[in-house]
Amino acid sequence: MARIRLIDVAELAGVSMKTVSNVVHSYPHVAPALREKVQAAIDQLGYRPNLTARRLATGKTGMIALAIPEIDHPYFSELSRHMAEEATRRGYRVIIEQTLSDPDLERAVLIDREAGLVDGVIFHPVRMETLDIAKLDAGTSLVLLGEAAIPVMTDHVMIDNVSAALDATRHLVASGCRRIAFLGVIAADITGSTNQRLLGYQQGLLEAGVRLDPELVFTALEFTAEAGLRSVTEAIERGVRFDGVVCRDDRFAIGALKALHDSGRSVPGDVAVVGWDNTFLGAYTSPTLTSVAPKKTELVAAAFDLLEERIAGYRGVGRHLIVGHSLAVRESAPHTP
Amino acid sequence: MARIRLIDVAELAGVSMKTVSNVVHSYPHVAPALREKVQAAIDQLGYRPNLTARRLATGKTGMIALAIPEIDHPYFSELSRHMAEEATRRGYRVIIEQTLSDPDLERAVLIDREAGLVDGVIFHPVRMETLDIAKLDAGTSLVLLGEAAIPVMTDHVMIDNVSAALDATRHLVASGCRRIAFLGVIAADITGSTNQRLLGYQQGLLEAGVRLDPELVFTALEFTAEAGLRSVTEAIERGVRFDGVVCRDDRFAIGALKALHDSGRSVPGDVAVVGWDNTFLGAYTSPTLTSVAPKKTELVAAAFDLLEERIAGYRGVGRHLIVGHSLAVRESAPHTP
DNA sequence: CAGCCAATGTACAGCGCTAGAAAGATATTT
DNA sequence: AAATATCTTTCTAGCGCTGTACATTGGCTG
């Protein structure tokens, strides 16, 4: 079953390849009669242009790569969905690369990108350091997401983590919490995200005239609900008292909800809980989860805008965009009446 | 910043293109000294082969498409992750196509596949009908997932839904449930999945000598936790009594948990709940969710095996594989003591 | 009716890489 | 030393499509 080529259609229709190509591309200056004849040949043979060949000829692949740590992390799977939809809207296809937070895989993404496979890359680094990225960002189209690394020359989109954490903390303060914990600092995590969120949290306490009690900064071992559960359970067992928790991540928040539930605390009665990322998980818990909500569609649109400008030839310094956020208020930390 | 080409390397090293190509491909018969010289030139220029060109020349793209209804559905995002990992293991890249259960998008997947973009497609159809798929499966490499459509000529992997539903029902019967409900039949859903699961459910009741009460078959309007919640809430309000629920989907199960919780029922005390797909959602709920667990890694491996045989040239009739399943037993329907 | 322009169509040289044939170099055998 | 075998390397024809340069046609103008 040999594939039908442009030339096969051309022969059947008795015209040149270019004319067939013109029909395929809806080039205006083709005589209606000819166009019809060619179209008939196309239909008859079931011709589909070979995209690989087209790519080689045009130099454009029409494809962008989205490199994220884990496909099945709710935040990233939602992000992927938005990316896929935005890409379709803009005429691109998305190829998803899972880096698993492995520095080598992350590096591979940046190197492969140059292999002419994709026109650009949207990359959410976790482990690669600023300088490392700067070194590999060899002038091709790249947009970074998140706060892990921010090379000056590279475009970058994020939310204002400090102010978001501040909002979350203020929300808890407003509903009467005074002993507010922060979950979770990760031993192995040297990314800026946690630090910034912690900073906003401190600022919120300061504003409320509450002193930060180091005992209330909970540490987790890894980014899982399980680790969050363990961390909160241990705090409870240590006798730490708290009436609110700002969680660095929805999964931590879910672990926290479970820990509180298992230890007989009511949420939000005894402890109010705020998560982060506003993933769909939060809608499924009991109680439902209040969560910091990055404006994902804005973020996706901004990332694409920057990327397309790069693809179009922009070679200037990196643009660093902040997109909005809000607080999705649900049962675990409701509005004050 | 013009891209470095094979010929640039060849010129710098003072050899022919083919020799450079041989080095790149680790072809054995290259004199060590020459190999070193070429490698030095490659490193110096930072040469990366252009994959698009390679593809055009070899006819292999090294890429497969995974077409699923929604990237951010937990089942599919977990599946995607496994697919991505298996693909990497086998030397492929995955391009994910989101069909959104739209018949036109589903059809587009099958048509685009022929555009020389990918070597094969793994496709989980939802809306396309058997005949429609059969018509478009024009001899290229395709493997289907799920139960929606099963054209004879096309390869296909699924779990035994009847027997899995039977297992779930038996589990509830064994723990003493007698009035077992089934959630949810979807008005608009004509896929085989629901019917098969319903069949296994009936069979389980029959075995236990329990008559099927039509009142216990709960209908939902769409595939969301929200719809599940509503369906169960309405049943409770109608005064329907039941002590167990087999859910067609983890999201329904989560809706059910919430409905039961909100109405003051305890799970599993008053009502035991079994979900389906064993997504990570089930580990995060309170109580945690017992769920039918398709062996995803087996499924992924089987799909790839079939696909690779197709890619390698197999042109016979469709193989229809059943992969295993188990029941992930957690708190919502625990083991009987 | 020559002279021109615009509208249509054709020819063909790449895009960067691969792979098989052919040539050149070196080693082995008789 | 000639003949043969074995390595190494070069040559070159595509892969299927696009875009530029050029050829052709027909309609109009003056």
Side-chain angles (χ1 to χ4, degrees), chain A residues 125 129-135 137 142 144 148-156 317-320:
Chain A
E129 316 238 343
T130 300
L131 274 175
D132 208 5
I133 291 181
K135 226 179 303 171
D137 180 17
L142 173 67
L144 296 178
I150 312 185
V152 201
M153 292 303 295
T154 309
D155 292 340
H156 179 243
V317 298
R319 281 83 49 97
H320 298 268

Side-chain angles (χ1 to χ4, degrees), chain A residues 2 85 92 112 166 223 240 256:
Chain A
E85 284 166 10
Y92 288 95
D112 275 0
L166 177 58
F223 280 112
V240 178

Side-chain angles (χ1 to χ4, degrees), chain A residues 1 3 51-52 56 63 70 72 81 85 93 97-98 100 112 114-117 138 225 258 284-285, chain B residues 1 3 51-52 55-56 63 70 72 81 85 93 97-98 100 112 114-116 138 225 258 284-285:
Chain A
M1 157 141 349
R3 276 282 294 280
L51 296 187
T52 301
L56 185 58
M63 202 132 90
E70 294 170 284
D72 60 348
R81 181 188 179 133
E85 284 166 10
R93 275 165 191 253
E97 297 279 347
Q98 182 170 249
L100 299 173
D112 275 0
E114 318 209 11
L117 236 192
K258 221 166 151 40
Y284 291 169
T285 53
Chain B
M1 157 142 349
R3 276 283 293 281
L51 297 187
T52 300
R55 280 167 188 193
L56 185 57
M63 203 131 91
E70 292 171 285
D72 61 347
R81 179 186 182 138
E85 284 166 9
R93 275 166 190 252
E97 297 281 347
Q98 183 169 248
L100 300 174
D112 276 359
E114 318 207 15
K258 223 166 149 42
Y284 292 166
T285 52

Side-chain angles (χ1 to χ4, degrees), chain A residues 97-121:
Chain A
E97 297 279 347
Q98 182 170 249
T99 63
L100 299 173
S101 301
D102 174 333
D104 292 334
L105 287 178
E106 290 195 338
R107 214 163 286 124
V109 165
L110 253 40
I111 292 174
D112 275 0
R113 166 178 48 118
E114 318 209 11
L117 236 192
V118 296
D119 294 335
V121 178

